[in-house]
Amino acid sequence: MNTLVQVQPVETRWVYAFGGGAADGGAQMKELLGGKGANLAEMSSLGLPVPPGFTITTEACNHYYKIGRTHPADLRGQVDAALAQVAALVGKGFGDPKNPLLVSVRSGARASMPGMMDTVLNLGLNDDTVEGLAALAGDRRFAFDSYRRFIQMYSNVVLGLDHHMFEEILDDRKDVLGVTIDTDLSADDWLAVVADYKAEVERELGRPFPQDPQEQLWGAIGAVFDSWMNDRAQFYRRLHDIPEAWGTAVNVQSMVFGNMGDTSATGVAFTRNPSTGENRLYGEFLINAQGEDVVAGIRTPQPLTRASREEMGETALSMEEAMPEVFGQFNAVVRRLERHYRDMQDIEFTVERGRLYMLQTRNGKRTAKAALKVAVEMAAEGLITTDEAVLRVDPASLDQLLHPTIDPAADRDLIAAGLPASPGAATGKIVFTAEAAEREGAFEPVILVRDETSPEDIRGMDAARGVVTARGGMTSHAAVVARGMGRPCVCGAAELRINAAAGELRARGRVFKAGDIITIDGSRGEILAGAIAMIEPELSGDFGVLMGWADAARRLKVRANAETPLDARTARQFGAEGIGLVRTEHMFFDEARLAAVREMILADDEAGRRAPLERILPMQRGDFVELLNIMDGYPVTFRLLDPPLHEFLPHTQEEVAAVAKSTGLDADKLLRRAADLRETNPMLGHRGCRLGVSYPEIYEMQVRAIIEAACEVAASGRATPHPEIMHPLVSKPEEMAFLRRLTDRVAKQVMAERGMTIPYSVGAMIELPRAAICAADLAKDAEFFSFGTNDLTQTTFGISRDDSGRFLNAYMEKGIFEKDPFVSIDVEGVGSLVRIGAERGRATRPDVKLGICGEHGGDPASIAFCESIGLDYVSCSAYRVPIARLAAAHAALNRPKT
Amino acid sequence: MNTLVQVQPVETRWVYAFGGGAADGGAQMKELLGGKGANLAEMSSLGLPVPPGFTITTEACNHYYKIGRTHPADLRGQVDAALAQVAALVGKGFGDPKNPLLVSVRSGARASMPGMMDTVLNLGLNDDTVEGLAALAGDRRFAFDSYRRFIQMYSNVVLGLDHHMFEEILDDRKDVLGVTIDTDLSADDWLAVVADYKAEVERELGRPFPQDPQEQLWGAIGAVFDSWMNDRAQFYRRLHDIPEAWGTAVNVQSMVFGNMGDTSATGVAFTRNPSTGENRLYGEFLINAQGEDVVAGIRTPQPLTRASREEMGETALSMEEAMPEVFGQFNAVVRRLERHYRDMQDIEFTVERGRLYMLQTRNGKRTAKAALKVAVEMAAEGLITTDEAVLRVDPASLDQLLHPTIDPAADRDLIAAGLPASPGAATGKIVFTAEAAEREGAFEPVILVRDETSPEDIRGMDAARGVVTARGGMTSHAAVVARGMGRPCVCGAAELRINAAAGELRARGRVFKAGDIITIDGSRGEILAGAIAMIEPELSGDFGVLMGWADAARRLKVRANAETPLDARTARQFGAEGIGLVRTEHMFFDEARLAAVREMILADDEAGRRAPLERILPMQRGDFVELLNIMDGYPVTFRLLDPPLHEFLPHTQEEVAAVAKSTGLDADKLLRRAADLRETNPMLGHRGCRLGVSYPEIYEMQVRAIIEAACEVAASGRATPHPEIMHPLVSKPEEMAFLRRLTDRVAKQVMAERGMTIPYSVGAMIELPRAAICAADLAKDAEFFSFGTNDLTQTTFGISRDDSGRFLNAYMEKGIFEKDPFVSIDVEGVGSLVRIGAERGRATRPDVKLGICGEHGGDPASIAFCESIGLDYVSCSAYRVPIARLAAAHAALNRPKT
């Protein structure tokens, strides 16, 4: 904002009333009225029994913050008018000592933020009105109980006093009276408590507890607005990606009481089971209680229906049995609400002396399993369309369904916590080396526990059921590889002190030895002692049905990143339409190949490199044949050698000695070469296609292996091969031209030798800012672009993902980053470059095929971005393929129609 | 090219004739005719005596390559017609046995590429025409000498035979005849040599030497075109930034002979002295010789003028004395050419039997000193404008004038060669450690020789006269720092084997010990044994005059990168208009501060960090006061702490032990902290403003030091401070907003404490792609942008400059990089981002101040780019300030007028 003075239009409407079968707002006005306010208005308009009230808008909240925590000048008049309307509807007066109107003041943001912000109940009570309430209710004890509740809540929420002081006063009073539970206190006892409370407030604040209901009301409204910026609200927003700019509304509503005797009650209900999705009313209630009592857990709530009560073997009556008439009304309202909102509803209600009041309805939160079932069944019932059903299931939640998970009922003995790097759970014996994992993992389940992992550990990771590291973040080697393999993984468990040599780990004062059984929960980032009961994933019928609808709705293709036949088969089972990224060096870490690779690296000249490459060729070809067979008819993108060569060499003196001994390679030469190849910033070093330019013979061998494999597959008649050859880390069009010539030359030669023609394409991995900027020229020689957004994020931000752990947290805490840019694509920066690359590439070559193969390929928000710029496909790890399919459907369905 | 068939317009003109006082072309047609052809045409049009001929265009050359080394179909007819015109003008016939026309066939590209391409002289001679030549010349010996020269040259250039075989035949013949020099051979002797030559050619090739002049001509034309792509031409082009697409023209010109007796001669001349710039005819000639004899150096050429001869104490007559009439004509022609071309000319001429022929004129190459003098004097003479004078001096060449250089006459005993990392020369004793350099450099000149340098070596580098490293490229730490300090430096001398512990270095089988005297030539990248005579820089009057004109012509401001008072004063002397980059951490490496810095790094919390920061504050403030005083009235940009903290810690166990002992810091803690801070990719790590966000107290201390210093300077009345506070490595607008708040808060606080107001500005270093992309939002909080193009190049390309040495050479060789992007800005990629950043920044804040402070700030091509996008200033190392001032003037003068 550049102007110093905010001129506020005179006519801004800050207040929307509801009640008496009508409302100023409606369900569609959530942005302005918050979820609670919009739905109260909606229910009121539907003629449902809603206690009258009004909503102060989120715009008023934003305005409050914009002008320094001050209310707009014209708010007071609008509140006064609305309050008068409420009073008229209920036939009471705000502050009227004979017939007092009491109100609740509650927050209500656009998104549900349960318990994060503040609420004040029973507002309007003072030394005079409490007597009026007593008379009206015919219950003096109830009135003073309500008054003391109000003083306690208001003092805490609005006046900032600690609630413990009030509890102490109450406890002291009980001691004096010799009673233990609240219900044993009489009206006079409560009256005494109220006096003590008021005296305490005055002592603390130097002024009496406010008696003026207007003062009370404005204090509460300000407190609710203030609570939008309290620590826990800010934390919750960050966790759930809720923008600060949304603001909260304030709902002021006439009070109804579920605690006015045995014909009163309060409860919550779901129209279907939020855990299983079963289509049956689900919930609980308490007779003679206020909502806070249900939450407090002092009394055990009863089920709503007789069927539920019987299933649970309870004896206390269900609502259906205890108040059959009200239950009948309630059941009808509940059914109507689900039909009206066309979604499973989460409902709060109160019964005041036999009369039903609806206090809230909203779409109910549910487990992934329930979401699937509800969506599929509602579509079957004709309540929603199949596209709507697809949109009802959060793609990220599918992760819960695709992996074994720890039984929620099981006890958890926490050893240490880290990052939830790869979902699912696994149990096994601790091993501290990749070799041990390979050796022992063949016979019994093992968990690989290391400080960090490196490419040499891949076979060990594959042999283990799960992986734990003490270092590294969500995109560390261990995390990326584990997600790709579908292995649960906990990363960056910094409190672990691992001594692999001694075969032990220490954490929180406990010691675990190699061979001890642990369980890891990769979805929560926890390491637990012992074996724990698991729930196996169940890809039920609902899953298949919904995924079919999703596939029909989406435009983006979904491929997998996969190197092994196992990964490739898993990917196909999960519905992958090809492989978007085969890291061809993955196979180099196999023991037999590694020796040849190292011999090649040690060679002094091209001839010396060609001999070992000759030995690697048939092995690579064999791998590629398998992948092409599995992906019959689908494209397979082979990325040529990418990591710097030093990753293939041993580094420490000990490692070198061991390698030299086992391979016969010269130890001195190994050491010297490793030192020569050492890089200050390996991420920005001699890697990617720079290797192919420096040592063309390596890429020639790989291209040959790919085309020979394709020829072999085609000749066998078993499958139709669609190889795509991808050059990583391209930055200059001249580089791409060189690589294109190399690729075509070798491919032509192989096809001539075999006497056959294989359609193949050649492309570039766009993972450097310069590649995106120069995409127009790159597209002259590249038939496809695959955006490698991991590295593109690293270079665009100048952030090494290996090192970012040190400051990313401070950045998230300070609000500089809202999300980890390695998890969800940074649309403004990295996304801009992807967009530029796509646009410029298409300008040169309109049919250039465009995809994404970074970690972002499995992230729903990133997939939505890919859809928005019209990419052709996303590629992600095999276990995220269903998530990507569903996210792609969401993206297509949510895309603005042009 | 997408079409398969190139349709060539019928009417393309491939051939441009000249001679007889007229020409088809002219001097302005260098692109089409090459330099030589254009100037021959121009001289011909001026009516100067040019042997008639014609030029085949560079387009014909490009066409030749485009269609697979084949001439366009219509070329032959055009050549035939032009040749007939030449024959008519000279009254001879091509192939006419009685009156043969002989021609030279020479290359001629747009830019001079001396000796890189091929030439054939005396073409048209065969067994018949040689007799005709003999008769015409009345000199049979001359005719057969010419024939044998032709055979040798043609066989070598066109037929690809080694010239040694011809030299052997000639030597054999001389042995038989018992003579030693060519002039002792008679006509018959040469006839016999010709017979031997022809027999040798036939033996080698299996076919006789071509006798058909047409076949000879087309062979020679093809050979000249072919020579455009020979290795040395390609190498030369790369070295001098000459695009391959330019192509070469071919000049076919009737022969004239300087070797037809004592009234014939050949020579070269400069209209002014190319070494000193003195305005006096300069050159040499040989009587009775052909051009190649002058080059061959068998006979010593004579000076052109009597004055020169007398000065040199020669006795052989000058041209002025030997052929006064022709000299008079020549002198008049030469004066006319200089006036016509308005530049010093480099001229080739031949006198054939008393008649003058002009064979070439072109703007003469000259030393930097001569360029200055010629430009200033020509402007004084009114021949050119002062702006033209400015454009006549190559900015890069000034480097020669600003440093001591090795006397060109001195003997050089080469120890090893490396990269010319920082210009100038220095002599001193070898020291192998920074400590030794500091200790001994105070008393006698030392040269610091290390494998590589690090920030801790800075004081040692400063104390040394020059620096040598065995590792690292043109932008390694040693190179950057040495250039900044104006110290000569040779980097990446990989053949050096340095054993610092043993105090010796080995190279090429020799051993040098600490204390041995060496000399380094940083301009050539050579390390030489012993002390060698030097020439001190002379910033003569011409220099000052020209720089004054340059300053008047330029728009860009020029600042210096400087940290020390010495650097700052040097920068002011060289004309810097402020400091564009103070690396504030530079001062942290001072011993007293380093201890405090390390204590801060080891601290466990903010309080622990604040105590040592308090101790650093007054030291930083003191440094800043000095810089602000020196830069009185000019802006000084302070970049806050940038390098990762681990750069300040010792790393090896030994270093740690030493530090622990001397400072009392805990060794274990030092080791642990260094290990904690270790980064995989420090370039992309926890550095720059990320430190300021993580540890705001560090930046707070630095901002306080800057503003306190500015207050102190302003209060003293000694100078007017203009501090600019720059935050490095910004990538997000949210980050900039945080830093802006921090900066303003501290600044306001300090000014309130001091009761004064200091104008200061706050800006961002734009050195990440994301910063450029999000510049519009960054500019909300940044009042200036300084493009840090070193890091921006690293991240845009994904190339670590520390590691790029491994592949950049292969990339240059393969033509993927034309220039090292760390030396000259990559306009397409990195430049695009700078342009985007500038445009978007200005969109938000039209007066945002824009500058560049990378190494590119001193590179003329990069400065031209900065001018083209309208930046406000460039900042470079102090010693490059004059270069930048001149380059900025060039850029302004060369900028297309809109």
Side-chain angles (χ1 to χ4, degrees), chain A residues 513-582:
Chain A
K513 299 268 180 197
D516 286 353
I517 300 284
I518 57 173
T519 295
I520 66 172
D521 183 343
S523 307
R524 283 168 57 165
E526 292 184 352
I527 305 152
L528 309 159
I532 304 185
M534 300 276 182
I535 299 172
E536 283 302 309
E538 185 195 338
L539 300 185
S540 68
D542 289 336
F543 178 85
V545 168
L546 191 93
M547 291 308 291
W549 295 341
D551 289 344
R554 73 186 154 96
R555 184 195 62 79
L556 276 170
K557 300 279 181 198
V558 176
R559 302 195 200 173
N561 304 338
E563 287 85 36
T564 65
L566 178 64
D567 285 346
R569 279 192 205 98
T570 306
R572 287 286 297 121
Q573 283 159 11
F574 279 137
E577 299 157 300
I579 300 183
L581 180 63
V582 179

Side-chain angles (χ1 to χ4, degrees), chain A residues 676 735 770 806 811 826, chain B residues 676 735 770 806 811 826:
Chain A
D676 280 351
E735 207 172 25
R770 198 184 193 281
R806 287 203 186 80
Y811 266 54
D826 158 52
Chain B
D676 280 352
E735 210 172 23
R770 198 182 193 283
R806 287 203 185 80
Y811 267 53
D826 158 53

Side-chain angles (χ1 to χ4, degrees), chain A residues 248-443:
Chain A
T248 183
V250 179
N251 297 291
V252 178
Q253 190 175 20
S254 52
M255 286 292 300
V256 290
F257 298 94
N259 54 345
M260 289 179 86
D262 288 348
T263 57
S264 299
T266 193
V268 296
F270 288 85
T271 56
R272 304 192 184 207
N273 186 315
S275 179
T276 65
E278 191 188 8
N279 185 3
R280 215 170 71 179
L281 185 65
Y282 177 91
E284 49 194 26
F285 85 120
L286 267 176
I287 288 178
N288 194 16
Q290 270 198 322
E292 53 183 335
D293 299 325
V294 181
V295 179
I298 300 165
R299 290 161 56 194
T300 306
Q302 303 308 120
L304 294 180
T305 62
R306 180 176 166 169
S308 297
R309 178 183 68 77
E310 286 171 352
E311 267 174 30
M312 295 163 68
E314 294 275 346
T315 51
L317 290 185
S318 68
M319 183 181 176
E320 186 176 8
E321 297 156 306
M323 10 179 97
E325 194 184 340
V326 178
F327 177 81
Q329 288 168 27
F330 178 66
N331 200 28
V333 165
V334 154
R335 284 162 183 275
R336 184 163 167 207
L337 282 173
E338 186 178 277
R339 278 199 310 281
H340 181 73
Y341 283 99
R342 303 167 66 244
D343 199 357
M344 186 252 274
Q345 294 298 294
D346 169 359
I347 289 160
E348 292 178 17
F349 66 96
T350 283
V351 179
E352 183 183 294
R353 291 181 168 167
R355 190 156 166 209
L356 173 70
Y357 289 98
M358 302 302 293
L359 297 184
Q360 170 149 312
T361 191
R362 59 185 174 191
N363 294 339
K365 290 196 194 296
R366 62 207 80 178
T367 63
K369 193 176 163 189
L372 262 179
K373 189 173 194 69
V374 168
V376 169
E377 289 188 359
M378 281 192 172
E381 293 160 21
L383 199 58
I384 57 175
T385 66
T386 55
D387 282 350
E388 285 173 314
V390 164
L391 288 172
R392 290 286 166 83
V393 181
D394 174 14
S397 74
L398 291 187
D399 229 13
Q400 297 174 26
L401 305 178
L402 302 173
H403 300 277
T405 45
I406 291 180
D407 185 341
D411 288 334
R412 304 168 76 98
D413 175 9
L414 189 67
I415 298 172
L419 300 169
S422 179
T427 296
K429 288 189 169 180
I430 296 173
V431 290
F432 290 109
T433 66
E435 295 69 36
E438 272 192 74
R439 198 171 54 238
E440 299 172 29
F443 306 102

Side-chain angles (χ1 to χ4, degrees), chain B residues 516-692:
Chain B
D516 287 353
I517 300 283
I518 58 172
T519 296
I520 67 171
D521 183 344
S523 307
R524 283 167 60 166
E526 292 184 352
I527 304 150
L528 308 161
I532 304 185
M534 301 276 181
I535 298 172
E536 284 301 312
E538 187 196 338
L539 301 184
S540 67
D542 290 335
F543 178 85
V545 169
L546 192 94
M547 292 308 291
W549 295 341
D551 289 345
R554 72 187 155 93
R555 183 194 62 79
L556 276 169
K557 299 280 181 197
V558 176
R559 302 195 201 173
N561 304 338
E563 288 85 37
T564 65
L566 178 64
D567 285 347
R569 280 192 205 99
T570 306
R572 287 286 299 121
Q573 281 157 14
F574 280 136
E577 299 157 299
I579 300 184
L581 180 63
V582 178
R583 302 173 190 91
T584 56
E585 68 274 7
H586 183 93
M587 296 84 163
F588 286 9
F589 289 101
D590 176 277
E591 207 166 315
R593 297 164 201 201
L594 196 52
V597 170
R598 284 169 171 166
E599 188 185 325
M600 174 196 79
I601 296 172
L602 293 190
D604 295 316
D605 54 19
E606 188 186 321
R609 285 189 291 274
R610 285 202 183 270
L613 284 170
E614 283 294 318
R615 297 211 307 278
I616 299 169
L617 172 66
M619 309 192 226
Q620 285 239 303
R621 183 176 57 224
D623 297 327
F624 297 164
V625 164
E626 265 201 281
L627 293 178
L628 289 168
N629 273 328
I630 294 167
M631 284 292 155
D632 176 22
Y634 286 118
V636 178
T637 309
F638 295 93
R639 181 184 71 186
L640 304 188
L641 181 67
D642 184 55
L645 295 182
H646 53 73
E647 284 199 9
F648 299 98
L649 293 185
H651 288 270
T652 65
Q653 296 244 349
E654 295 76 36
E655 287 167 354
V656 166
V659 167
K661 199 172 165 194
S662 72
T663 60
L665 294 168
D666 183 57
D668 276 354
K669 199 163 182 182
L670 270 169
L671 261 183
R672 212 161 48 234
R673 190 81 175 115
D676 280 352
L677 290 175
R678 182 171 60 83
E679 294 185 308
T680 311
N681 297 290
M683 165 65 209
L684 308 174
H686 194 186
R687 51 171 286 241
C689 71
R690 292 162 195 170
L691 298 168

Side-chain angles (χ1 to χ4, degrees), chain A residues 84 158 183 196 237 252 295 396 402 526 562 590 599 604 636-637 649 666 683 725 735 761 772 797 804-805 811:
Chain A
V158 183
T183 43
D196 289 351
R237 283 201 295 275
V252 178
V295 179
L402 302 173
E526 292 184 352
D590 177 275
E599 188 185 324
D604 296 315
V636 178
T637 308
L649 292 186
D666 182 57
M683 165 65 208
I725 298 170
E735 207 172 25
S761 58
F797 271 107
S804 63
Y811 266 54

Side-chain angles (χ1 to χ4, degrees), chain A residues 471 676 678 680-684 690 693 732 735 768 770 796-798 800 803 806 811 814 816 826, chain B residues 471 676 678 680-684 690 693 732 735 770 796-798 800 803 806 811 814 816 826:
Chain A
R471 290 163 66 157
D676 280 351
R678 182 172 60 84
T680 311
N681 296 291
M683 165 65 208
L684 308 174
R690 294 164 193 169
V693 172
K732 292 207 81 182
E735 207 172 25
L768 295 173
R770 198 184 193 281
T796 302
F797 271 107
S800 160
D803 304 314
R806 287 203 186 80
Y811 266 54
K814 292 194 161 89
I816 292 174
D826 158 52
Chain B
R471 290 164 67 158
D676 280 352
R678 182 171 60 83
T680 311
N681 297 290
M683 165 65 209
L684 308 174
R690 292 162 195 170
V693 172
K732 293 206 80 182
E735 210 172 23
R770 198 182 193 283
T796 303
F797 271 106
S800 158
D803 304 315
R806 287 203 185 80
Y811 267 53
K814 290 192 163 91
I816 292 173
D826 158 53

Side-chain angles (χ1 to χ4, degrees), chain B residues 459-471:
Chain B
R459 278 150 34 100
M461 294 174 72
D462 197 32
R465 293 289 174 96
V467 178
V468 172
T469 68
R471 290 164 67 158

